[in-house]
Amino acid sequence: MHKPVAQPSVDAFLHSGGRRAGWLHRPDAIFFLIGLLWVSLILVSLSFAWQHVRNTSFSLAVVEARASFAKDLVYRRWATMHGGVYVPVSDNTPPNPYLSGIPKRDVVTADGDRLTLVNPAYMTRQVHELGQESYGIKGHITSLTPLRPANAADAWETGALQSFTAGVKEVSSLEVVDGEHVVRFMRPMITESGCLKCHAEQGYRKGDIRGGISVSVPFTPYLEIEQRQKTFLAVSHALIGMVGMVVIWLSRQWLMRSHNSLRESEERLEELIESIGEGVILQDASERILLWNRTAAAIFGLGSEEVVGRPAVGRDWHTIHEDGTPFPPENHPSLHTLRTGEPCSGLVMGIVRAGQEATWIEVNTRPLFATGASTPYAVIISFSDVSKKKVAEHRLQQSERKYRLLFENLTVGFALHEMIYDRDGRPVDYRYIEVNPAFEQLTGTRAENLIGRTVSEVMPETEHYWIEAYGTVALTGTPMSYQNYSREVGRYFDVWAFSPDKGQFAVLCSDITERCKVEDALKTSEENYRTMFENVQDAVYSVTMDGRIVDISPSIREISKGQYHREELIGRSLFDFYADPTEHERFLADLQKDGSVAEYQITLKNRDGAIVICSVSAKIQRDSRGRPEKIIGNIRDISERVALEKQLLHAQKMESVGRLAGGVAHDFNNMLGVILGYTEMILDQVDEHQPLYPALREIEKAAQRSANLTGQLLAFARRQTVSPKVIDLIAAVCK
């Protein structure tokens, strides 16, 4: 025996689509790159996450600064609206020297108390001092042309004020002040009518930018939160990275095992090709022979070392057709497949060598395509020596005259076949030897398209079971009869098979298509109904007109939560399971009125008394005379749907109540604001020793309690943040 030459290169050639495998055989390099890419992705993700945390921390600090600015602007606007406020003169609040030109800057009350006017800027400055002392948030009123030198802008504020003149609405940034990180925020102050009382002499007009309020928010608390988030992100990304690396390592192990399995599979494939009972040749697009197995060497009498790597042409033999005419080399099956990409199957040709008889082979070719290619890069040629079969066919042709008269005059289809066996004597195919005109008519195939061809060629979808069954008849001579359906011709046949000679079998067949179609249609209808009946989720039922259950699908077990089974319900009255005894009477009345109902809601009860809300669709089935015979329909459990609809309705009602409460509370709160405001103004003008003062206090307390109540209503309507606190219940009740 000869061993194929350069076999490893053939394996690589096959598995790489005609090209060298290259990097596909370096899995370590591939997984190194994958691991590197994975680590890079983790680092990039961590970097983006850290940056997002920093941006979020800065944004939250800016939001806090913006809220502080808004608060300053609101009470400044309030003070401006009232032209400032008068407060007692003290060491902390001396008369403002910058308001000396304003009449009535200082007044004395009827009781002799000295009061001084506090303008919005003065008030804001004092509030900023309290805010910085209490919360660490620093506020500063500033301007490029301040009246008060202490209000002069620093470098950062100067830049912000200059940007306001260019149309910028606000400025914020993270700065380091006195060694601490702070978020600085600033917005301009627009001159309003009330501002001109103090600033008209500076040349400001309504709508001018006369300065701004800067807010400095300590960033250290945000940095601490940011550091904790960054630590969490680093740990989580590290864990994800390690999990990914473990997955990559496990994938590498799996790929290595697959790679080894592939190599073992290639070795087994090589052994299989060498041991197969047919000749196998692999030929590339340039017509070079790459593979030549032992069987090919035995059939052609040439070892692999004589042909592998060399062109297939130029040999000392020539080929012929079955009729003896020359078989041109350019029409050989392998070259035809390489040229067109079409496989060849069952082509028989003779190999004639000088001084020797022809060797007949049956050739099959299969093209090999690279991914996306339209032309093959190689062709696999398999062939078997059919010289002995050719001799047998010749003998059969001599004996066919004996059967000619019988074949042509039979009224039933008759076909004679020859079994084809493998080297182990197992039937693998059979060939048509002869068919009579009745067989041609039954199958719709002419004899010239059948005789000499195998069933795998004529009817490739033939199941191997029939080949084995006919092989048993041909080997043992035991006849058999059966009914069979031919997919190729779409007909049913009643067949009797027998063996007229060893290795052969004949069949007598008659067309029973119409009878079988009726039987199959009835069987299919019954099976479809039974499948639907047993697997439908709704409970399909059939009851007599008086409610006795004739049949019900197994799905009733799910609808009844496992409390009833199909078997125990058959024969019982369906109306016994209604929760309302009169409900089935209404159901029957509606059903008899229209002949059918759809999505009819009923209430059933389980064995344990639990209620199941169901939807029923049913109709009355009538006999041939039109009389009501029984009721058929289906039951569907809609308990969950009904419960969800009730929840939705309740939620909509609660939403309406909340909106109403919120609207009332909002309007009531506005009126309470007026009451509280005027009460506070009167209290400021009434001495606490006067008889009216306690009554005013009671009005203020009552209004405040009402405001608290409206706050609760607004919280219920979700228009105000809920701020729960601990109270003394006894003291609250006493009040």
Side-chain angles (χ1 to χ4, degrees):
M1 292 294 179
H2 300 282
K3 184 175 181 58
V5 176
Q7 187 65 32
S9 64
V10 173
D11 295 335
F13 184 84
L14 288 174
H15 289 288
S16 61
R19 301 176 299 275
R20 294 296 178 184
W23 59 273
L24 290 176
H25 287 280
R26 298 198 301 271
D28 286 333
I30 296 174
F31 280 100
F32 175 77
L33 293 176
I34 293 175
L36 185 61
L37 177 62
W38 174 250
V39 173
S40 301
L41 288 174
I42 291 296
L43 293 177
V44 170
S45 174
L46 180 60
S47 175
F48 276 109
W50 278 14
Q51 185 61 39
H52 177 72
V53 170
R54 167 50 60 91
N55 294 339
T56 302
S57 300
F58 178 76
S59 299
L60 291 175
V62 170
V63 169
E64 184 178 0
R66 192 178 287 124
S68 178
F69 173 86
K71 175 260 299 177
D72 291 344
L73 198 62
V74 168
Y75 64 67
R76 280 181 58 85
R77 191 167 291 166
W78 179 86
T80 301
M81 180 177 64
H82 294 287
V85 297
Y86 284 94
V87 301
V89 177
S90 65
D91 293 338
N92 292 329
T93 310
N96 190 343
Y98 301 101
L99 301 180
S100 58
I102 296 177
K104 297 183 180 181
R105 182 196 68 175
D106 300 309
V107 297
V108 179
T109 66
D111 296 332
D113 295 330
R114 292 182 58 205
L115 302 178
T116 185
L117 179 65
V118 174
N119 66 332
Y122 197 177
M123 179 175 62
T124 301
R125 187 166 59 252
Q126 288 191 341
V127 171
H128 283 170
E129 292 171 357
L130 290 174
Q132 183 176 5
E133 178 181 349
S134 302
Y135 306 108
I137 300 177
K138 181 180 179 181
H140 185 220
I141 303 174
T142 184
S143 172
L144 294 177
T145 56
L147 288 174
R148 181 172 174 267
N151 291 346
D154 59 20
W156 185 89
E157 292 171 334
T158 299
L161 290 171
Q162 291 173 348
S163 67
F164 294 154
T165 61
V168 177
K169 300 300 181 182
E170 69 177 32
V171 177
S172 60
S173 64
L174 180 62
E175 306 290 337
V176 178
V177 179
D178 297 332
E180 293 187 1
H181 288 85
V182 296
V183 171
R184 303 201 67 181
F185 174 87
M186 190 171 185
R187 273 189 178 178
M189 291 188 299
I190 308 301
T191 303
E192 299 177 354
S193 300
C195 302
L196 298 177
K197 179 179 180 180
C198 301
H199 298 279
E201 63 182 14
Q202 291 180 278
Y204 288 114
R205 290 177 299 176
K206 182 179 180 181
D208 290 346
I209 297 176
R210 56 181 173 79
I213 298 178
S214 70
V215 179
S216 298
V217 177
F219 198 62
T220 301
Y222 294 95
L223 285 176
E224 294 174 355
I225 297 174
E226 176 184 325
Q227 188 59 42
R228 289 195 296 270
Q229 292 180 335
K230 285 184 175 180
T231 302
F232 171 76
L233 288 171
V235 172
S236 60
H237 276 70
L239 291 175
I240 294 173
M242 286 188 292
V243 170
M245 293 303 294
V246 170
V247 171
I248 292 173
W249 182 82
L250 292 175
S251 300
R252 175 191 174 278
Q253 297 298 106
W254 175 83
L255 182 61
M256 291 301 295
R257 288 194 297 270
S258 300
H259 188 267
N260 293 334
S261 299
L262 178 60
R263 185 166 56 250
E264 294 173 358
S265 176
E266 291 174 351
E267 294 173 355
R268 289 193 297 270
L269 176 61
E270 178 183 350
E271 294 175 358
L272 177 62
I273 292 175
E274 287 301 313
S275 61
I276 197 170
E278 291 186 347
V280 178
I281 299 175
L282 175 64
Q283 185 177 337
D284 66 11
S286 63
E287 301 182 15
R288 286 186 308 114
I289 295 176
L290 302 178
L291 175 65
W292 183 275
N293 74 340
R294 294 189 182 101
T295 306
I299 293 175
F300 284 95
L302 294 172
S304 59
E305 67 277 2
E306 300 179 63
V307 292
V308 172
R310 301 178 184 179
V313 297
R315 298 293 170 184
D316 59 345
W317 64 65
H318 65 277
T319 55
I320 60 174
H321 290 285
E322 291 185 82
D323 59 3
T325 58
F327 203 130
E330 61 272 13
N331 292 339
H332 282 191
S334 60
L335 299 183
H336 173 79
T337 300
L338 285 172
R339 186 170 58 252
T340 64
E342 299 175 354
C344 294
S345 177
L347 192 146
V348 177
M349 65 181 185
I351 309 297
V352 181
R353 308 186 71 174
Q356 298 182 10
E357 293 185 0
T359 300
W360 294 95
I361 60 173
E362 185 175 342
V363 182
N364 298 287
T365 62
R366 177 179 168 229
L368 299 178
F369 294 93
T371 303
S374 58
T375 57
Y377 67 86
V379 60
I380 294 179
I381 310 162
S382 62
F383 54 92
S384 57
D385 188 348
V386 294
S387 300
K388 294 181 179 180
K389 184 178 68 175
K390 293 290 292 183
V391 174
E393 290 176 353
H394 178 68
R395 292 176 180 175
L396 288 174
Q397 290 174 1
Q398 292 178 348
S399 62
E400 68 176 319
R401 298 185 186 92
K402 302 176 183 178
Y403 307 99
R404 182 62 56 192
L405 184 61
L406 177 63
F407 290 165
E408 293 179 354
N409 291 279
L410 280 175
T411 58
V412 296
F414 185 93
L416 181 65
H417 309 85
E418 176 193 19
M419 290 302 306
I420 300 174
Y421 305 94
D422 60 14
R423 294 191 175 185
D424 296 328
R426 292 188 296 266
V428 295
D429 208 343
Y430 58 84
R431 181 176 286 102
Y432 289 89
I433 299 175
E434 187 58 275
V435 297
N436 70 341
F439 189 86
E440 293 180 81
Q441 184 178 3
L442 286 175
T443 61
T445 306
R446 298 180 61 83
E448 55 265 27
N449 296 327
L450 293 174
I451 296 175
R453 301 183 66 184
T454 63
V455 71
S456 61
E457 296 171 338
V458 179
M459 301 178 183
E461 296 183 2
T462 300
E463 298 177 354
H464 192 71
Y465 166 82
W466 296 112
I467 297 176
E468 293 180 348
Y470 291 140
T472 301
V473 173
L475 285 173
T476 65
T478 303
M480 72 173 187
S481 61
Y482 59 91
Q483 292 180 359
N484 185 29
Y485 174 74
S486 174
R487 289 189 295 269
E488 288 76 5
V489 298
R491 310 294 291 176
Y492 290 89
F493 297 101
D494 192 358
V495 181
W496 181 56
F498 64 96
S499 176
D501 198 359
K502 189 172 180 61
Q504 297 181 356
F505 71 95
V507 294
L508 293 171
C509 53
S510 56
D511 191 348
I512 57 170
T513 301
E514 296 305 322
R515 187 186 73 189
C516 291
K517 283 185 177 179
V518 173
E519 294 175 352
D520 289 347
L522 179 59
K523 181 180 178 181
T524 300
S525 176
E526 292 177 350
E527 290 178 350
N528 290 341
Y529 174 76
R530 180 54 54 186
T531 300
M532 180 190 69
F533 185 77
E534 293 180 353
N535 294 280
V536 69
Q537 291 185 350
D538 294 352
V540 180
Y541 69 93
S542 172
V543 299
T544 60
M545 294 304 297
D546 60 356
R548 183 175 54 84
I549 299 174
V550 178
D551 200 0
I552 192 165
S553 62
S555 55
I556 190 63
R557 181 178 181 182
E558 284 70 25
I559 294 179
S560 65
K561 308 300 186 292
Q563 297 187 23
Y564 291 106
H565 297 268
R566 172 177 176 269
E567 293 75 12
E568 65 179 306
L569 293 177
I570 295 177
R572 297 182 61 180
S573 175
L574 180 62
F575 303 138
D576 293 342
F577 302 94
Y578 277 78
D580 182 1
T582 63
E583 192 173 67
H584 75 273
E585 298 177 0
R586 294 193 301 272
F587 171 78
L588 279 179
D590 293 339
L591 181 62
Q592 291 174 348
K593 176 183 178 182
D594 300 322
S596 65
V597 295
E599 300 293 333
Y600 197 97
Q601 184 170 318
I602 63 173
T603 305
L604 302 180
K605 61 181 178 180
N606 263 338
R607 195 194 304 274
D608 58 1
I611 298 301
V612 181
I613 302 175
C614 298
S615 172
V616 177
S617 296
K619 70 175 183 177
I620 298 176
Q621 190 176 56
R622 302 179 182 273
D623 60 15
S624 58
R625 298 182 180 180
R627 295 175 300 185
E629 184 179 23
K630 60 182 178 180
I631 301 171
I632 59 174
N634 66 288
I635 302 174
R636 177 178 299 171
D637 184 359
I638 61 171
S639 302
E640 183 177 354
R641 188 185 75 187
V642 172
L644 291 175
E645 291 174 351
K646 290 182 178 179
Q647 292 179 9
L648 176 60
L649 180 61
H650 179 70
Q652 291 173 341
K653 290 181 178 179
M654 293 302 296
E655 182 181 1
S656 300
V657 172
R659 289 179 179 177
L660 177 61
V664 173
H666 185 269
D667 294 339
F668 190 51
N669 197 38
N670 291 337
M671 293 185 287
L672 288 174
V674 175
I675 295 173
L676 282 171
Y678 279 103
T679 302
E680 291 175 356
M681 293 175 60
I682 297 173
L683 285 171
D684 289 341
Q685 300 176 13
V686 175
D687 186 79
E688 62 182 2
H689 300 293
Q690 295 183 14
L692 185 61
Y693 189 85
L696 291 173
R697 279 296 184 189
E698 290 300 323
I699 294 174
E700 181 183 28
K701 290 179 182 180
Q704 187 60 50
R705 285 194 297 271
S706 299
N708 292 337
L709 178 60
T710 59
Q712 294 176 12
L713 288 174
L714 287 173
F716 175 73
R718 295 184 179 178
R719 295 191 178 185
Q720 180 172 311
T721 303
V722 178
S723 300
K725 61 181 180 180
V726 179
I727 64 171
D728 186 339
L729 184 60
I730 297 177
V733 172
C734 292
K735 290 181 181 180

